[in-house]
């Protein structure tokens, strides 16, 4: 059903343009306990690439009306994969509610203006990092790399995007979307949806390498100069069999014969090729930069 829905939307869009329509509206307002929505980025990117393949993309604008877009990165992704205009209706409704409940001490018009200004500045910052100065040049440019998506998803929705490691397909994306939908509609006692611990550690959220246990072990090791505590800390960080968090956590070492030390280049020779100028001055400070250079 998930893949069929994407195919249907693409086909409907193509037919509409051939019938003379010049605006395509993709909206997730129609969700209910019976119907869940496709992730808006998948829908937008799939329609954009379908129209590119059919040589129809320049004949219509894609307008996106979504509850998903909240943060700068969400908008950058939608623009980068073909959206011409975005209406983040749930974010605006949330701001209105916060104004009503006095969580924000300004009127709604000012709060909305501040939100849009923050989004605009954030998007411009992302553009500038790529040396792009206009949104027109960024739209549809898909200057991203995919992590954890399989070939079928890339070919259908994100054609041409670099994806070096493969990953989940439409089946798991669908399961994840359905799980969130069920939490929202089937659990009547649940007033607030769980955050999932995406940005920081939460007791019932996703596993993070930096969690209360690892942080306290590292602090103890440093404060008390305790090497045993450091070994405990490094073991949790490095051995990720139960909870793979990083790409290296998915790798295993093969047993090999040791290389004779005589074949290893001396440290003094390696140091000659060290370059510190490429390190960000802003991130490590003047003192650290000078120390490393010395």
């Amino acid at each position: 059903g998930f893949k069929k829905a994407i195919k249907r939307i693409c086909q409907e869009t193509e037919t509409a343009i051939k019938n003379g329509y010049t605006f395509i509206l993709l909206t997730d307002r129609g969700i209910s306990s019976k119907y869940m929505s496709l992730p808006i980025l998948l829908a937008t990117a799939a329609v954009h690439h379908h129209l590119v393949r059919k040589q129809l993309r320049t004949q219509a604008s894609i307008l996106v009306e979504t509850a998903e877009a909240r943060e700068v990165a969400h908008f950058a992704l939608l623009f980068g994969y073909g959206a011409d205009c975005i209406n983040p209706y749930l974010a605006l409704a949330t701001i209105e509610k916060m104004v009503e409940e006095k969580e924000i001490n300004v009127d709604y018009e000012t709060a909305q203006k501040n939100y849009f200004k923050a989004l605009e500045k954030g998007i411009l910052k992302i553009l500038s990092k790529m040396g792009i100065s206009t949104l027109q040049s960024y739209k549809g440019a898909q200057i991203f790399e995919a992590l954890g998506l399989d070939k079928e998803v890339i070919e259908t929705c994100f054609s041409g995007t670099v994806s070096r490691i493969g990953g989940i397909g439409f089946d798991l994306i669908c399961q994840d979307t359905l799980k969130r939908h069920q939490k929202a509609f089937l659990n009547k006692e649940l007033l607030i949806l769980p955050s999932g611990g995406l940005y920081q550690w939460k007791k019932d959220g996703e596993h993070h390498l930096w969690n209360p246990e690892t942080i306290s072990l590292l602090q103890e090791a440093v404060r008390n100069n305790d090497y045993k505590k450091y070994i405990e800390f490094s073991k949790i960080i490095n051995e990720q069999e139960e909870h793979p968090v990083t790409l290296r956590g998915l790798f295993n070492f093969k047993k090999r014969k040791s290389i004779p030390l005589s074949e290893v280049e001396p440290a003094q020779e390696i140091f000659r090729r060290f370059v510190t100028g490429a390190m960000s001055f802003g991130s490590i400070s003047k003192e650290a930069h000078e120390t490393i250079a010395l």
Side-chain angles (χ1 to χ4, degrees):
F2 208 77
K3 284 191 278 187
K4 281 181 183 175
I6 291 174
K7 197 173 180 181
R8 174 179 57 78
I9 292 168
C10 290
Q11 197 56 55
E12 285 175 1
T13 305
E14 182 186 338
T15 304
I17 292 172
K18 286 177 179 176
N19 287 337
Y21 289 91
T22 55
F23 289 100
I24 303 299
L25 175 64
L26 299 176
T27 178
D28 54 25
R29 275 191 190 269
I31 62 167
S32 64
S33 57
K34 191 177 178 184
Y35 294 104
M36 73 176 187
S37 69
L38 290 169
I40 198 66
L41 181 62
L42 287 187
T44 304
V47 167
H48 168 74
H49 278 295
H50 178 77
L51 296 179
V52 168
R53 285 190 286 267
K54 296 294 178 179
Q55 299 182 356
L56 296 169
R57 182 63 187 91
T58 57
Q59 295 180 33
S61 295
I62 298 173
L63 315 181
V64 176
E65 185 181 50
T66 177
E68 287 188 45
R70 307 175 300 280
E71 303 166 15
V72 171
H74 301 159
F75 287 83
L77 280 161
L78 285 167
F79 283 130
Y81 282 104
D84 290 283
C85 179
I86 303 165
N87 171 18
Y89 66 87
L90 184 61
L92 297 177
T94 304
I95 291 168
E96 188 174 16
K97 182 79 171 170
M98 291 172 82
V99 169
E100 281 175 17
E101 295 181 353
K102 307 292 183 191
E103 288 185 50
I104 301 175
N105 296 319
V106 292
D107 60 82
Y108 174 63
E109 198 176 321
T110 306
Q112 181 181 280
K113 190 178 173 184
N114 291 346
Y115 176 62
F116 285 141
K117 187 177 180 181
L119 287 175
E120 190 178 314
K121 286 195 169 188
I123 292 165
L124 285 170
K125 184 178 180 181
I126 291 172
L127 265 62
S128 67
K129 284 182 176 181
M130 297 306 300
I132 296 172
S133 56
T134 65
L135 187 61
Q136 191 68 32
S137 299
Y138 189 77
K139 267 192 306 187
Q142 57 182 56
I143 308 169
F144 304 96
E145 183 170 336
L147 284 174
L149 294 176
D150 81 356
K151 196 177 177 183
E152 186 185 18
V153 177
I154 296 294
E155 286 177 357
T156 305
C157 303
F158 309 114
S159 307
T161 298
V162 176
S163 180
R164 301 176 200 276
I165 61 168
I168 64 171
F170 284 116
D171 53 347
L172 284 175
I173 295 172
C174 181
Q175 282 178 35
D176 197 41
T177 308
L178 184 61
K179 202 180 288 181
R180 284 199 302 273
H181 183 268
Q182 287 172 338
K183 276 182 181 175
F185 284 97
L186 299 184
N187 191 340
K188 301 226 165 47
E189 296 173 8
L190 198 67
L191 296 174
I192 299 173
L193 288 171
S195 69
L198 184 63
Y199 296 112
Q200 62 187 67
W201 180 86
K202 293 282 175 70
K203 192 176 180 181
D204 56 348
E206 291 183 357
H207 179 74
H208 285 240
L209 282 181
W210 289 110
N211 56 57
E213 187 183 9
T214 54
I215 290 169
S216 62
L217 280 171
L218 182 60
Q219 287 176 339
E220 278 187 68
V222 174
R223 282 175 187 152
N224 305 323
N225 198 21
D226 190 334
Y227 186 61
K228 284 183 181 177
K229 287 290 179 188
Y230 177 76
I231 294 295
E232 283 182 55
F233 159 76
S234 59
K235 190 177 180 184
I236 296 171
I237 293 290
N238 293 326
E239 294 179 10
Q240 298 176 31
E241 288 85 0
E242 288 182 30
H243 302 285
V245 178
T246 61
L247 284 179
R248 65 186 176 88
L250 299 169
F251 287 96
N252 287 320
F253 285 107
K254 287 183 177 179
K255 287 189 176 180
R256 300 284 189 186
K257 287 183 180 178
S258 299
I259 299 170
L261 279 176
S262 58
E263 292 181 21
V264 178
E265 193 175 3
Q268 289 82 356
E269 294 299 316
I270 298 172
F271 286 155
R272 288 181 182 181
R273 298 195 298 276
F274 274 22
V275 179
T276 62
M279 291 184 186
S280 168
F281 181 81
S283 67
I284 65 170
S285 81
K286 177 177 180 284
E287 293 79 8
H289 226 290
E290 289 177 352
T291 305
I292 293 168
L294 286 170

